[in-house]
Amino acid sequence: METVLTTHFADDGYRRIDTYRSFGGYDALRKSLSMTPEAIIDEVKKANLRGRGGAGFPAGVKWGFLPKDLSRPRVLVINADEGEPGTFKDRVIMSRGPHLLIEGIAIAAFALRVHISYIYIRGEFVREARILDEAVAEAYAAGFLGKNILGSGFDLDLTVHRGAGAYICGEETSLINSLEGKRGWPRLKPPFPASVGAFGLPTIVNNVETLADVPWIVTNGGEKFAAIGVEKNGGTRLIGVSGAVNRPGVYELPAGTNLKEIIYTHAGGIRDGKALKAVIPGGSSTPVLRPDEIDVSYDIESMAKIGTMAGSGGVIVIPEGTCMVRALSTLMNFYSHESCGQCTPCREGTGWLKKIVGRIEAGKGRAGDVELILDVCDNMMGRTICPLADAAAMPAQSFIWKFREEFDRHIGEQKCPYGNRF
Ligand SMILES: Cc1cc2nc3c(=O)[nH]c(=O)nc-3n(C[C@H](O)[C@H](O)[C@H](O)COP(=O)(O)O)c2cc1C
Ligand code: SF4
């Protein structure tokens, strides 16, 4: 199978610039500098490269939203916050192939006529931040960053900026606020960052994996990248499989690999010979699937057709014997804790979901609680500044739609049928 990102990740030296270059690293940047910015953007469009941060927006189209006016500087921000529970693939790129990311950033910056860029990295990623710092210093020393890159006249500065570890700072406008030194609160859109972003300047925010794909696209051409995946969703994806599987980890697979195959073939099937109970397919905010729904192509469109999302590529596998009410309770604690509190439907809604699901699990559920949860979710969806409220409501709704009997049993028996105690 053709790999785009992980080909040399097993080689420990690959994080150093000499080894990276010995495998042809930075040749794509050299090639890009001889192309026109428009030609690079065209290749990315042809590649059907969809954003890997969760929403899946086509990267080339997003890049086209920057204003044509070049009188104001523009900014490229790389989202390395990776806060979605179940998602742990960007840290693999940063720790095993940091130059892949830096080269992708330099190419994208040249294509977007950007001279200022930041990697916004999650505070907890101490080791990855250190590796990135070293790699950025190497890239400056070798002339791939800084002034007059490879004699082309193109300048680019890249700064690694460490966040303080808040999930909401992964949302792009919140990330921009945090980068500016303000509280990490999402902004109302419009204006979108492409017109008013970091420091009031036109800004593109892209995920780590999205940009790390760019050197391969420039080297091999957009069409070849598109051909690896499926229609409208090109290339490979790094898929992080966690939970009750025999071989949890990050797998690079073509977009559109069958989800069942991801779990049973690549991740080795369910641990301890147990049966599968449920799968959260694309990070903890994506609607849960029952075992009879996982024979599906893992790509953006196919997942949307069955009412869920490939999201950020984090597949969470839940085995038989797991209490789905407790699982939802854990998720609701998380979203309630991470709500920034600006919007009433989210601040209050996530708090209510935490409280109601928590009391059902604790054997204190009341008749009508399940309907109340669904009602709270209805009042959250699509009514807030950012999608965090939806990110909490979607799992709550789907857990109830698909595992309603467990909620009813908890309330009817006034205890957890699995023997869980608080
Ligand atoms: C609450 C919340 C958290 C998010 N966290 C991340 C994150 O950690 N990393 C990321 O790349 N995108 C995250 N996103 C999506 C970003 O807002 C944005 O869509 C993405 O960085 C764009 O990059 P892409 O187009 O390359 O995917 C988050 C969105 C929301 C609503
Ligand atoms: S939806 Fe929630 S997290 Fe997003 S801005 Fe509103 S309160 Fe903050």
Side-chain angles (χ1 to χ4, degrees):
M1 190 214 93
E2 184 108 55
T3 48
V4 169
L5 296 169
T6 57
T7 315
H8 305 293
F9 277 15
D11 183 337
D12 259 349
Y14 192 63
R15 67 172 69 110
R16 315 291 333 189
I17 199 163
D18 291 346
T19 310
Y20 183 70
R21 290 184 72 179
S22 72
F23 288 116
Y26 287 106
D27 287 354
L29 174 61
R30 199 177 292 277
K31 179 175 175 186
S32 302
L33 295 171
S34 68
M35 294 166 74
T36 62
E38 293 72 25
I40 299 170
I41 296 176
D42 263 2
E43 288 305 323
V44 171
K45 282 188 180 157
K46 274 192 233 154
N48 285 334
L49 173 62
R50 306 282 292 263
R52 306 297 200 229
F57 198 80
V61 177
K62 188 196 268 192
W63 292 3
F65 291 155
L66 278 177
K68 301 275 169 283
D69 155 36
L70 291 173
S71 64
R72 289 191 307 152
R74 29 217 22 241
V75 184
L76 176 62
V77 179
I78 297 83
N79 192 339
D81 200 55
E82 190 149 75
E84 176 84 351
T87 309
F88 47 96
K89 43 110 188 159
D90 291 339
R91 68 186 307 179
V92 174
I93 298 173
M94 291 186 279
S95 61
R96 313 289 320 176
H99 285 287
L100 216 44
L101 174 61
I102 296 169
E103 187 175 7
I105 294 168
I107 297 170
F110 176 71
L112 299 172
R113 298 179 162 94
V114 161
H115 304 292
I116 312 160
S117 59
Y118 298 92
I119 300 175
Y120 183 98
I121 183 168
R122 183 169 193 74
E124 289 90 337
F125 287 172
V126 177
R127 183 169 165 272
E128 289 75 10
R130 203 189 61 235
I131 293 171
L132 275 179
D133 275 336
E134 284 168 9
V136 167
E138 286 181 330
Y140 266 103
F144 299 126
L145 289 173
K147 293 256 174 280
N148 191 21
I149 294 173
L150 298 175
S152 65
F154 173 61
D155 304 336
L156 175 66
D157 276 317
L158 174 61
T159 305
V160 178
H161 180 100
R162 292 183 59 196
Y167 171 63
I168 193 56
C169 287
E171 192 281 332
E172 59 184 5
T173 58
S174 173
L175 185 153
I176 288 169
N177 269 335
S178 171
L179 184 69
E180 290 178 357
K182 300 178 187 144
R183 179 182 271 203
W185 272 6
R187 298 177 180 174
L188 267 178
K189 295 194 262 189
F192 288 91
S195 36
V196 183
F199 313 102
L201 301 170
T203 299
I204 292 292
V205 181
N206 270 136
N207 169 262
V208 166
E209 184 184 349
T210 313
L211 289 178
D213 279 333
V214 170
W216 196 96
I217 293 171
V218 167
T219 304
N220 299 282
E223 275 165 19
K224 197 161 174 212
F225 187 86
I228 296 176
V230 290
E231 206 198 341
K232 294 191 189 159
N233 198 168
T236 61
R237 290 202 65 152
L238 290 194
I239 302 167
V241 189
S242 63
V245 286
N246 285 312
R247 287 195 300 273
V250 173
Y251 295 90
E252 180 174 12
L253 296 167
T257 301
N258 184 285
L259 177 56
K260 195 170 184 177
E261 181 192 324
I262 294 171
I263 295 170
Y264 283 93
T265 308
H266 299 286
I270 315 303
R271 217 170 40 214
D272 303 327
K274 285 191 175 171
L276 177 66
K277 180 159 185 179
V279 177
I280 303 178
S284 70
S285 60
T286 56
V288 68
L289 297 173
R290 296 186 71 116
D292 59 353
E293 295 175 295
I294 65 163
D295 195 358
V296 58
S297 161
Y298 194 73
D299 67 84
I300 295 165
E301 270 74 27
S302 306
M303 297 300 277
K305 270 191 206 135
I306 60 163
T308 188
M309 297 154 83
S312 52
V315 175
I316 304 170
V317 177
I318 300 175
E320 64 179 335
T322 305
C323 171
M324 295 305 276
V325 180
R326 173 159 283 197
L328 183 62
S329 178
T330 306
L331 289 181
M332 294 304 103
N333 284 344
F334 172 78
Y335 288 104
S336 163
H337 181 262
E338 299 294 335
S339 167
C340 85
Q342 274 190 102
C343 322
T344 310
C346 174
R347 184 185 63 246
E348 298 293 319
T350 52
W352 276 105
L353 290 178
K354 169 183 161 169
K355 197 169 162 181
I356 304 164
V357 179
R359 78 172 172 238
I360 297 175
E361 163 65 351
K364 298 192 174 95
R366 303 170 193 162
D369 268 354
V370 174
E371 289 71 23
L372 188 56
I373 291 172
L374 293 175
D375 193 40
V376 171
C377 291
D378 277 348
N379 283 300
M380 294 167 73
M381 295 285 289
R383 292 167 199 262
T384 51
I385 295 174
C386 91
L388 186 138
D390 297 29
M394 286 189 300
Q397 286 178 327
S398 67
F399 269 59
I400 289 183
W401 290 335
K402 299 198 174 159
F403 297 93
R404 167 93 195 216
E405 66 285 356
E406 296 210 8
F407 290 81
D408 289 340
R409 267 191 77 185
H410 276 77
I411 295 171
E413 297 173 19
Q414 290 287 289
K415 65 178 171 60
C416 173
Y418 297 92
N420 287 338
R421 285 177 199 284
F422 272 84

